Coordinates of all heavy atoms in Angstrom, one line a residue:
M1 N 0.8 -1.2 0.0 CA 0.0 0.0 0.0 C 0.9 1.2 0.0 O 1.8 1.3 0.8 CB -0.9 0.0 1.2 CG -1.7 1.2 1.4 SD -2.9 1.1 2.8 CE -2.1 2.0 4.1
K2 N 0.6 2.2 -0.9 CA 1.3 3.4 -0.9 C 0.6 4.4 0.0 O -0.6 4.6 -0.2 CB 1.5 4.0 -2.3 CG 2.4 3.3 -3.2 CD 2.6 4.0 -4.5 CE 3.7 3.3 -5.2 NZ 4.1 4.1 -6.5
S3 N 1.3 5.0 1.0 CA 0.6 5.9 1.9 C 0.4 7.2 1.2 O 1.2 7.7 0.5 CB 1.5 6.2 3.1 OG 1.7 5.0 3.9
A4 N -0.8 7.8 1.5 CA -1.2 9.1 1.0 C -1.5 10.1 2.1 O -1.6 11.2 1.9 CB -2.5 9.0 0.1
G5 N -1.5 9.5 3.4 CA -1.7 10.4 4.5 C -1.5 9.7 5.8 O -1.4 8.5 5.9
Y6 N -1.3 10.5 6.9 CA -1.2 9.9 8.2 C -2.0 10.7 9.2 O -2.4 11.8 9.0 CB 0.3 9.8 8.7 CG 0.9 11.2 8.9 CD1 0.8 11.8 10.2 CD2 1.5 11.9 7.9 CE1 1.3 13.1 10.4 CE2 2.1 13.1 8.2 CZ 2.0 13.7 9.4 OH 2.5 15.0 9.6
F7 N -2.3 10.0 10.4 CA -3.1 10.6 11.4 C -2.5 10.2 12.7 O -2.2 9.0 13.0 CB -4.6 10.0 11.3 CG -5.5 10.7 12.3 CD1 -6.3 11.8 11.8 CD2 -5.7 10.2 13.6 CE1 -7.2 12.4 12.7 CE2 -6.6 10.9 14.4 CZ -7.4 11.9 14.0
I8 N -2.3 11.2 13.6 CA -1.7 10.9 14.9 C -2.7 11.3 16.0 O -3.4 12.3 15.9 CB -0.4 11.7 15.1 CG1 0.6 11.4 14.0 CG2 0.2 11.5 16.5 CD1 1.9 12.2 14.1
S9 N -2.8 10.5 17.1 CA -3.7 10.7 18.1 C -3.2 10.0 19.4 O -2.5 9.1 19.4 CB -5.1 10.1 17.7 OG -6.0 10.2 18.8
E10 N -3.8 10.5 20.6 CA -3.6 9.8 21.8 C -4.6 8.8 22.1 O -4.6 8.0 23.0 CB -3.6 10.8 23.0 CG -2.4 11.7 23.0 CD -2.4 12.7 24.2 OE1 -2.5 12.2 25.4 OE2 -2.3 13.9 24.0
S11 N -5.6 8.7 21.2 CA -6.7 7.7 21.3 C -6.4 6.5 20.4 O -6.1 6.7 19.2 CB -8.0 8.3 21.0 OG -9.0 7.3 20.8
P12 N -6.6 5.3 20.8 CA -6.5 4.1 20.0 C -7.6 3.9 19.0 O -7.6 3.0 18.2 CB -6.3 3.0 20.9 CG -7.1 3.4 22.1 CD -6.9 4.9 22.2
Q13 N -8.7 4.7 19.1 CA -9.8 4.6 18.2 C -9.5 4.9 16.8 O -8.9 6.0 16.5 CB -11.0 5.5 18.7 CG -12.2 5.3 17.9 CD -13.4 6.1 18.4 OE1 -13.3 6.7 19.5 NE2 -14.4 6.2 17.6
I14 N -9.7 4.0 15.9 CA -9.4 4.2 14.5 C -10.1 5.4 13.9 O -11.3 5.6 14.2 CB -9.7 2.9 13.6 CG1 -9.1 3.1 12.2 CG2 -11.2 2.6 13.6 CD1 -9.1 1.8 11.5
P15 N -9.4 6.3 13.3 CA -10.0 7.5 12.8 C -10.8 7.3 11.5 O -10.5 6.4 10.7 CB -8.9 8.5 12.5 CG -7.7 7.5 12.2 CD -7.9 6.3 13.1
M16 N -11.9 8.0 11.3 CA -12.7 7.9 10.1 C -11.8 8.5 9.0 O -11.0 9.3 9.2 CB -14.0 8.7 10.2 CG -14.9 8.3 11.3 SD -15.5 6.6 11.1 CE -16.6 6.8 9.7
V17 N -12.0 7.9 7.8 CA -11.2 8.3 6.6 C -11.3 9.8 6.3 O -10.3 10.4 5.7 CB -11.4 7.4 5.4 CG1 -12.8 7.7 4.8 CG2 -10.3 7.5 4.4
D18 N -12.4 10.4 6.6 CA -12.7 11.8 6.1 C -12.6 12.8 7.3 O -13.0 13.9 7.1 CB -14.0 11.9 5.4 CG -15.2 11.4 6.2 OD1 -15.0 10.9 7.3 OD2 -16.3 11.6 5.8
I19 N -12.2 12.4 8.5 CA -12.1 13.2 9.6 C -11.0 14.3 9.5 O -10.0 14.0 8.9 CB -11.9 12.4 10.9 CG1 -12.2 13.3 12.2 CG2 -10.5 11.8 11.0 CD1 -12.2 12.4 13.5
L20 N -11.2 15.5 10.1 CA -10.2 16.5 10.1 C -9.0 16.0 10.9 O -9.2 15.4 12.0 CB -10.8 17.8 10.8 CG -9.9 19.0 10.8 CD1 -9.6 19.5 9.3 CD2 -10.5 20.1 11.6
G21 N -7.8 16.2 10.4 CA -6.6 15.8 11.2 C -5.7 14.9 10.3 O -4.5 14.7 10.7
W22 N -6.2 14.3 9.2 CA -5.3 13.6 8.3 C -4.4 14.5 7.7 O -4.8 15.6 7.2 CB -6.2 12.8 7.3 CG -6.8 11.6 7.8 CD1 -8.1 11.5 8.2 CD2 -6.2 10.3 8.0 NE1 -8.4 10.2 8.6 CE2 -7.2 9.4 8.4 CE3 -4.9 9.8 7.7 CZ2 -7.0 8.1 8.7 CZ3 -4.7 8.5 8.0 CH2 -5.7 7.6 8.5
M23 N -3.1 14.1 7.6 CA -2.1 15.0 7.0 C -1.7 14.3 5.7 O -1.3 13.1 5.7 CB -0.9 15.1 7.9 CG -1.2 15.7 9.3 SD -2.0 17.3 9.2 CE -0.6 18.3 8.6
A24 N -1.7 15.0 4.6 CA -1.3 14.5 3.3 C 0.2 14.3 3.2 O 0.9 15.1 3.8 CB -1.8 15.4 2.2
V25 N 0.6 13.2 2.6 CA 2.0 13.0 2.3 C 2.1 12.6 0.8 O 1.2 12.1 0.2 CB 2.6 11.8 3.2 CG1 2.5 12.2 4.6 CG2 1.9 10.5 3.0
E26 N 3.3 12.7 0.3 CA 3.6 12.2 -1.0 C 3.4 10.7 -1.1 O 3.9 10.0 -0.2 CB 5.1 12.6 -1.4 CG 5.4 12.2 -2.9 CD 6.8 12.7 -3.2 OE1 7.2 13.8 -2.8 OE2 7.4 12.0 -4.0
K27 N 2.7 10.2 -2.0 CA 2.4 8.8 -2.1 C 3.7 8.0 -2.2 O 4.6 8.2 -3.0 CB 1.6 8.5 -3.3 CG 0.2 9.1 -3.2 CD -0.6 9.0 -4.5 CE -1.7 9.9 -4.5 NZ -1.4 11.3 -4.9
S28 N 3.9 7.0 -1.2 CA 5.1 6.3 -1.1 C 4.9 5.0 -0.4 O 4.0 4.9 0.5 CB 6.2 7.1 -0.4 OG 7.3 6.4 -0.2
T29 N 5.7 4.0 -0.6 CA 5.7 2.8 0.2 C 6.5 2.9 1.4 O 6.4 2.2 2.4 CB 6.1 1.5 -0.6 OG1 7.4 1.8 -1.1 CG2 5.2 1.2 -1.7
D30 N 7.4 3.9 1.5 CA 8.2 4.3 2.6 C 8.0 5.7 3.0 O 7.8 6.6 2.1 CB 9.7 4.1 2.3 CG 10.1 2.7 1.9 OD1 9.6 1.8 2.6 OD2 10.9 2.5 1.0
F31 N 7.9 6.0 4.3 CA 7.6 7.3 4.8 C 8.5 7.6 5.9 O 8.6 6.8 6.9 CB 6.2 7.5 5.1 CG 5.8 8.8 5.7 CD1 5.8 10.0 4.9 CD2 5.6 9.0 7.1 CE1 5.5 11.2 5.5 CE2 5.3 10.2 7.7 CZ 5.2 11.3 6.8
Y32 N 9.2 8.8 5.9 CA 10.0 9.3 7.0 C 9.8 10.8 7.2 O 9.8 11.5 6.2 CB 11.5 9.0 6.8 CG 12.3 9.6 7.9 CD1 12.5 8.9 9.1 CD2 12.8 10.9 7.8 CE1 13.2 9.5 10.2 CE2 13.6 11.4 8.8 CZ 13.7 10.8 10.0 OH 14.4 11.3 11.0
A33 N 9.6 11.2 8.4 CA 9.4 12.7 8.6 C 9.6 12.9 10.1 O 9.3 12.1 11.0 CB 8.0 13.2 8.2
D34 N 10.1 14.1 10.4 CA 10.2 14.6 11.8 C 8.9 15.4 12.0 O 8.6 16.4 11.3 CB 11.4 15.5 12.0 CG 12.7 14.8 12.0 OD1 12.7 13.6 12.5 OD2 13.7 15.3 11.5
I35 N 8.0 14.9 12.9 CA 6.7 15.5 13.1 C 6.6 15.9 14.6 O 6.9 15.1 15.5 CB 5.6 14.5 12.7 CG1 5.8 14.1 11.2 CG2 4.2 15.0 13.0 CD1 5.0 12.9 10.8
S36 N 6.1 17.1 14.8 CA 5.8 17.5 16.2 C 4.4 17.1 16.5 O 3.4 17.2 15.7 CB 5.9 19.0 16.3 OG 7.2 19.4 16.1
F37 N 4.2 16.7 17.8 CA 2.9 16.3 18.3 C 2.9 16.7 19.8 O 3.7 16.3 20.5 CB 2.6 14.8 18.1 CG 1.3 14.4 18.7 CD1 0.1 14.6 17.9 CD2 1.1 13.8 19.9 CE1 -1.1 14.2 18.4 CE2 -0.1 13.4 20.4 CZ -1.2 13.6 19.6
K38 N 1.9 17.5 20.1 CA 1.8 18.0 21.5 C 0.9 17.1 22.3 O -0.3 16.9 21.9 CB 1.3 19.4 21.6 CG 1.3 20.0 22.9 CD 0.9 21.5 22.9 CE 0.9 22.0 24.3 NZ 0.6 23.4 24.4
L39 N 1.4 16.5 23.4 CA 0.6 15.6 24.3 C -0.4 16.5 25.1 O -0.1 17.6 25.4 CB 1.5 14.9 25.2 CG 2.5 13.9 24.6 CD1 3.5 13.4 25.7 CD2 1.8 12.7 24.0
S40 N -1.5 15.9 25.4 CA -2.5 16.6 26.2 C -1.9 16.9 27.6 O -1.1 16.1 28.1 CB -3.8 15.8 26.3 OG -3.6 14.6 26.9
D41 N -2.3 17.9 28.2 CA -1.9 18.3 29.5 C -2.7 17.6 30.6 O -3.9 17.8 30.6 CB -2.0 19.9 29.6 CG -1.4 20.4 30.9 OD1 -1.0 19.6 31.8 OD2 -1.4 21.6 31.1
P42 N -2.1 16.9 31.5 CA -2.8 16.2 32.5 C -3.4 17.2 33.6 O -4.2 16.8 34.4 CB -1.8 15.2 33.1 CG -0.5 15.8 32.8 CD -0.6 16.6 31.5
G43 N -2.9 18.4 33.6 CA -3.4 19.4 34.5 C -2.8 19.5 35.8 O -3.2 20.3 36.6
K44 N -1.8 18.6 36.1 CA -1.1 18.7 37.4 C 0.2 18.1 37.2 O 0.5 17.3 36.3 CB -1.9 18.0 38.5 CG -2.3 16.6 38.3 CD -3.1 16.1 39.4 CE -3.6 14.6 39.1 NZ -4.4 14.1 40.1
E45 N 1.1 18.3 38.2 CA 2.5 17.8 38.2 C 2.4 16.3 38.5 O 1.6 15.8 39.2 CB 3.4 18.5 39.1 CG 3.6 20.0 38.7 CD 4.6 20.7 39.6 OE1 5.2 20.0 40.5 OE2 4.8 21.9 39.4
G46 N 3.4 15.6 38.0 CA 3.5 14.2 38.3 C 4.2 13.4 37.2 O 4.7 14.0 36.2
V47 N 4.3 12.1 37.3 CA 4.8 11.2 36.3 C 3.7 10.6 35.6 O 2.7 10.0 36.2 CB 5.7 10.1 36.9 CG1 6.3 9.2 35.9 CG2 6.9 10.8 37.7
W48 N 3.7 10.6 34.2 CA 2.6 10.1 33.4 C 3.0 9.2 32.3 O 4.1 9.3 31.8 CB 1.9 11.3 32.8 CG 1.5 12.4 33.8 CD1 2.2 13.5 34.1 CD2 0.4 12.3 34.6 NE1 1.6 14.2 35.1 CE2 0.4 13.5 35.4 CE3 -0.7 11.5 34.7 CZ2 -0.5 13.8 36.4 CZ3 -1.7 11.8 35.7 CH2 -1.6 12.9 36.5
L49 N 2.2 8.2 32.0 CA 2.4 7.3 30.9 C 1.4 7.7 29.8 O 0.2 7.7 30.1 CB 2.2 5.8 31.3 CG 2.3 4.8 30.2 CD1 3.7 4.9 29.5 CD2 2.0 3.4 30.7
K50 N 1.8 8.0 28.7 CA 0.9 8.3 27.6 C 1.3 7.4 26.4 O 2.4 6.9 26.2 CB 1.1 9.8 27.1 CG 0.7 10.8 28.1 CD -0.7 11.2 27.9 CE -1.0 12.4 28.8 NZ -2.3 13.0 28.4
S51 N 0.3 7.2 25.5 CA 0.5 6.4 24.3 C 0.1 7.4 23.1 O -0.8 8.1 23.2 CB -0.4 5.2 24.2 OG 0.1 4.2 25.2
V52 N 0.9 7.3 22.1 CA 0.6 8.0 20.8 C 0.4 7.0 19.7 O 1.2 6.0 19.6 CB 1.8 9.0 20.5 CG1 1.5 9.7 19.2 CG2 1.9 10.0 21.6
Y53 N -0.6 7.1 18.9 CA -0.9 6.2 17.9 C -0.9 6.9 16.5 O -1.2 8.1 16.4 CB -2.3 5.7 18.1 CG -2.5 5.0 19.4 CD1 -3.0 5.8 20.5 CD2 -2.3 3.7 19.6 CE1 -3.1 5.2 21.8 CE2 -2.5 3.1 20.9 CZ -2.9 3.9 22.0 OH -3.0 3.3 23.2
V54 N -0.4 6.2 15.5 CA -0.4 6.7 14.2 C -0.9 5.7 13.2 O -0.7 4.5 13.3 CB 1.1 7.2 13.8 CG1 2.0 6.0 13.7 CG2 1.0 7.9 12.4
W55 N -1.7 6.2 12.2 CA -2.3 5.4 11.2 C -1.9 6.0 9.8 O -1.6 7.2 9.8 CB -3.8 5.4 11.2 CG -4.5 4.7 12.4 CD1 -4.9 3.5 12.5 CD2 -4.7 5.3 13.7 NE1 -5.5 3.2 13.7 CE2 -5.3 4.4 14.5 CE3 -4.4 6.6 14.2 CZ2 -5.7 4.6 15.8 CZ3 -4.8 6.8 15.5 CH2 -5.4 5.9 16.3
F56 N -1.9 5.2 8.8 CA -1.6 5.6 7.4 C -2.8 5.2 6.6 O -3.5 4.2 6.9 CB -0.3 5.0 6.9 CG 0.9 5.5 7.6 CD1 1.4 4.8 8.7 CD2 1.5 6.6 7.2 CE1 2.5 5.3 9.4 CE2 2.6 7.1 7.9 CZ 3.1 6.4 9.0
K57 N -3.1 6.0 5.6 CA -4.2 5.6 4.6 C -3.6 5.8 3.2 O -2.7 6.6 2.9 CB -5.4 6.5 4.8 CG -5.3 7.9 4.4 CD -6.6 8.7 4.6 CE -6.5 10.1 4.2 NZ -7.8 10.8 4.3
D58 N -4.2 5.0 2.3 CA -3.9 5.1 0.9 C -4.9 6.0 0.1 O -5.9 6.5 0.7 CB -3.7 3.7 0.3 CG -5.0 2.9 0.2 OD1 -6.1 3.5 0.4 OD2 -4.9 1.7 0.0
E59 N -4.7 6.1 -1.2 CA -5.5 6.9 -2.0 C -7.0 6.5 -2.0 O -7.9 7.3 -2.2 CB -5.0 6.9 -3.4 CG -3.7 7.5 -3.7 CD -3.3 7.3 -5.1 OE1 -3.0 6.1 -5.5 OE2 -3.2 8.3 -5.8
S60 N -7.2 5.2 -1.8 CA -8.5 4.6 -1.8 C -9.2 4.7 -0.5 O -10.4 4.3 -0.3 CB -8.5 3.1 -2.2 OG -7.9 3.0 -3.5
G61 N -8.5 5.2 0.6 CA -9.2 5.4 1.9 C -9.0 4.2 2.8 O -9.5 4.1 3.9
N62 N -8.2 3.2 2.4 CA -7.8 2.1 3.3 C -6.9 2.5 4.4 O -5.9 3.2 4.1 CB -7.2 0.9 2.5 CG -8.0 0.4 1.4 OD1 -9.2 0.0 1.6 ND2 -7.5 0.4 0.2
I63 N -7.2 2.2 5.6 CA -6.5 2.6 6.8 C -5.7 1.5 7.4 O -6.2 0.4 7.6 CB -7.4 3.3 7.8 CG1 -8.1 4.5 7.2 CG2 -6.6 3.7 9.1 CD1 -9.2 5.1 8.1
S64 N -4.4 1.7 7.7 CA -3.6 0.7 8.3 C -3.9 0.4 9.7 O -4.7 1.1 10.3 CB -2.1 1.2 8.2 OG -1.9 2.2 9.2
N65 N -3.3 -0.6 10.3 CA -3.3 -0.8 11.7 C -2.5 0.3 12.3 O -1.7 0.9 11.6 CB -2.7 -2.2 12.1 CG -3.6 -3.3 11.6 OD1 -4.8 -3.3 11.6 ND2 -3.0 -4.4 11.2
Y66 N -2.7 0.6 13.6 CA -1.9 1.6 14.2 C -0.5 1.2 14.6 O -0.3 0.0 14.9 CB -2.6 2.3 15.3 CG -2.9 1.4 16.6 CD1 -1.8 1.1 17.4 CD2 -4.1 1.0 16.9 CE1 -2.1 0.3 18.6 CE2 -4.4 0.2 18.0 CZ -3.3 -0.1 18.8 OH -3.6 -0.9 19.9
A67 N 0.4 2.1 14.7 CA 1.7 1.9 15.4 C 1.6 2.7 16.6 O 0.9 3.8 16.7 CB 2.8 2.4 14.5
E68 N 2.2 2.2 17.7 CA 2.0 2.9 19.0 C 3.4 3.2 19.6 O 4.3 2.4 19.5 CB 1.3 1.9 20.0 CG 1.1 2.5 21.4 CD 0.3 1.5 22.3 OE1 0.1 0.3 21.9 OE2 0.0 1.9 23.4
A69 N 3.5 4.3 20.3 CA 4.7 4.7 21.0 C 4.2 5.0 22.5 O 3.2 5.8 22.6 CB 5.4 5.9 20.5
K70 N 4.8 4.4 23.5 CA 4.5 4.6 24.9 C 5.5 5.6 25.4 O 6.7 5.4 25.2 CB 4.4 3.3 25.7 CG 3.3 2.4 25.3 CD 3.2 1.2 26.2 CE 2.1 0.3 25.8 NZ 0.8 0.7 26.2
I71 N 5.0 6.6 26.1 CA 5.9 7.7 26.5 C 5.7 7.9 28.0 O 4.5 8.1 28.5 CB 5.6 9.0 25.8 CG1 5.8 8.8 24.3 CG2 6.5 10.1 26.3 CD1 5.1 9.8 23.5
T72 N 6.7 7.9 28.8 CA 6.7 8.2 30.2 C 7.3 9.6 30.4 O 8.4 9.8 29.9 CB 7.4 7.2 31.1 OG1 6.8 5.9 30.9 CG2 7.3 7.5 32.6
Y73 N 6.6 10.5 31.0 CA 7.2 11.8 31.2 C 6.7 12.4 32.5 O 5.8 11.9 33.1 CB 6.8 12.7 30.0 CG 5.3 13.1 29.9 CD1 4.9 14.4 30.4 CD2 4.4 12.2 29.4 CE1 3.6 14.7 30.3 CE2 3.1 12.6 29.3 CZ 2.7 13.8 29.8 OH 1.4 14.2 29.7
T74 N 7.4 13.4 32.9 CA 7.2 14.1 34.2 C 6.7 15.5 33.9 O 7.4 16.2 33.1 CB 8.4 14.2 35.0 OG1 8.9 12.8 35.2 CG2 8.2 14.8 36.4
T75 N 5.6 16.0 34.4 CA 5.2 17.4 34.3 C 5.7 18.1 35.5 O 5.7 17.7 36.6 CB 3.7 17.5 34.2 OG1 3.1 16.9 35.3 CG2 3.2 16.8 33.0
T76 N 6.3 19.3 35.2 CA 6.8 20.2 36.2 C 6.4 21.6 35.8 O 5.7 21.8 34.8 CB 8.3 20.2 36.3 OG1 8.9 20.6 35.1 CG2 8.8 18.7 36.5
T77 N 6.8 22.6 36.6 CA 6.5 24.0 36.3 C 7.5 24.5 35.3 O 7.4 25.6 34.7 CB 6.6 24.8 37.5 OG1 7.8 24.7 38.2 CG2 5.4 24.5 38.5
K78 N 8.6 23.7 34.9 CA 9.6 24.0 33.9 C 9.3 23.3 32.6 O 8.7 22.2 32.6 CB 11.0 23.6 34.4 CG 11.4 24.3 35.7 CD 12.7 23.8 36.2 CE 13.1 24.5 37.5 NZ 14.3 24.0 38.1
P79 N 9.6 24.0 31.5 CA 9.4 23.3 30.2 C 10.2 22.0 30.1 O 11.3 21.8 30.7 CB 10.0 24.3 29.2 CG 10.0 25.6 29.9 CD 10.2 25.3 31.4
L80 N 9.6 21.0 29.3 CA 10.3 19.7 29.2 C 10.3 19.4 27.7 O 9.3 19.5 27.0 CB 9.4 18.7 29.9 CG 9.9 17.2 29.8 CD1 11.2 17.0 30.5 CD2 8.8 16.3 30.4
A81 N 11.4 18.9 27.2 CA 11.5 18.5 25.8 C 11.5 17.0 25.7 O 12.1 16.3 26.5 CB 12.8 19.1 25.2
V82 N 10.9 16.5 24.7 CA 10.9 15.1 24.4 C 11.7 14.8 23.2 O 11.6 15.5 22.1 CB 9.4 14.5 24.2 CG1 9.4 13.1 23.8 CG2 8.6 14.8 25.4
S83 N 12.6 13.8 23.2 CA 13.4 13.5 22.1 C 12.6 12.8 21.0 O 11.5 12.5 21.2 CB 14.6 12.7 22.5 OG 14.2 11.5 23.0
T84 N 13.2 12.5 19.9 CA 12.6 11.9 18.7 C 12.1 10.5 19.1 O 12.7 9.7 19.8 CB 13.6 11.7 17.6 OG1 14.1 13.0 17.3 CG2 13.0 11.1 16.4
L85 N 10.9 10.2 18.6 CA 10.3 8.9 18.8 C 10.2 8.2 17.4 O 9.9 8.9 16.4 CB 8.8 9.0 19.3 CG 8.7 9.7 20.6 CD1 7.2 9.9 20.9 CD2 9.3 8.8 21.7
K86 N 10.5 7.0 17.3 CA 10.5 6.2 16.1 C 9.3 5.3 16.1 O 9.1 4.5 17.0 CB 11.7 5.5 15.9 CG 13.0 6.4 15.8 CD 13.9 5.9 14.8 CE 15.2 6.7 14.8 NZ 15.2 7.7 13.8
L87 N 8.4 5.4 15.1 CA 7.2 4.6 15.0 C 7.3 3.8 13.7 O 7.8 4.3 12.7 CB 5.9 5.5 15.0 CG 5.6 6.3 16.2 CD1 4.5 7.3 15.9 CD2 5.3 5.4 17.4
S88 N 6.9 2.6 13.7 CA 6.8 1.8 12.5 C 5.6 1.0 12.5 O 5.1 0.6 13.6 CB 8.1 1.0 12.3 OG 8.1 0.0 13.4
T89 N 5.1 0.7 11.3 CA 3.9 -0.2 11.2 C 4.0 -1.0 9.9 O 4.7 -0.6 9.0 CB 2.6 0.6 11.2 OG1 1.5 -0.3 11.2 CG2 2.5 1.5 10.0
V90 N 3.4 -2.1 9.9 CA 3.4 -2.9 8.7 C 2.0 -2.8 8.1 O 1.0 -3.0 8.9 CB 3.7 -4.4 9.0 CG1 3.5 -5.3 7.8 CG2 5.1 -4.5 9.6
V91 N 1.9 -2.5 6.9 CA 0.6 -2.3 6.3 C 0.3 -3.4 5.3 O 1.2 -3.9 4.7 CB 0.6 -0.9 5.5 CG1 -0.7 -0.7 4.8 CG2 0.9 0.2 6.4

């Protein structure tokens, strides 16, 4: 399947093919990009485990299984940077 777009979310629920949030990509069987994604704010300080999910779709609207990255982070009153995450999926 050649990817035509991707969708990133903190929810494992499969996105609808026409929902707002799909990002178009050049059609390819391989895809690589540095992408920023802001995690939702838990609203208080602490140590948190979050998951980020990504799906790919083709020109026909077929959606892949998701790839998942689990992230443990600490919220503080100071800014925190997260390094690069690598996600992969088999379509």
Side-chain angles (χ1 to χ4, degrees):
M1 173 171 101
K2 288 189 174 184
S3 293
Y6 68 88
F7 188 91
I8 301 175
S9 175
E10 287 183 55
S11 169
Q13 183 176 348
I14 189 166
M16 300 296 292
V17 72
D18 58 352
I19 193 172
L20 185 64
W22 282 98
M23 303 302 293
V25 298
E26 185 176 325
K27 295 171 197 84
S28 173
T29 54
D30 297 320
F31 175 72
Y32 174 83
D34 289 324
I35 300 166
S36 295
F37 180 78
K38 185 175 181 178
L39 295 171
S40 61
D41 184 354
K44 57 184 176 179
E45 292 185 7
V47 177
W48 305 96
L49 174 63
K50 294 269 188 167
S51 291
V52 175
Y53 304 89
V54 62
W55 294 263
F56 294 90
K57 70 176 180 177
D58 65 13
E59 298 175 292
S60 300
N62 300 305
I63 300 173
S64 71
N65 293 324
Y66 65 74
E68 178 182 11
K70 292 184 182 284
I71 303 160
T72 301
Y73 70 101
T74 303
T75 56
T76 66
T77 55
K78 298 178 184 176
L80 176 70
V82 177
S83 62
T84 302
L85 301 171
K86 299 216 185 262
L87 298 170
S88 62
T89 186
V90 176
V91 180

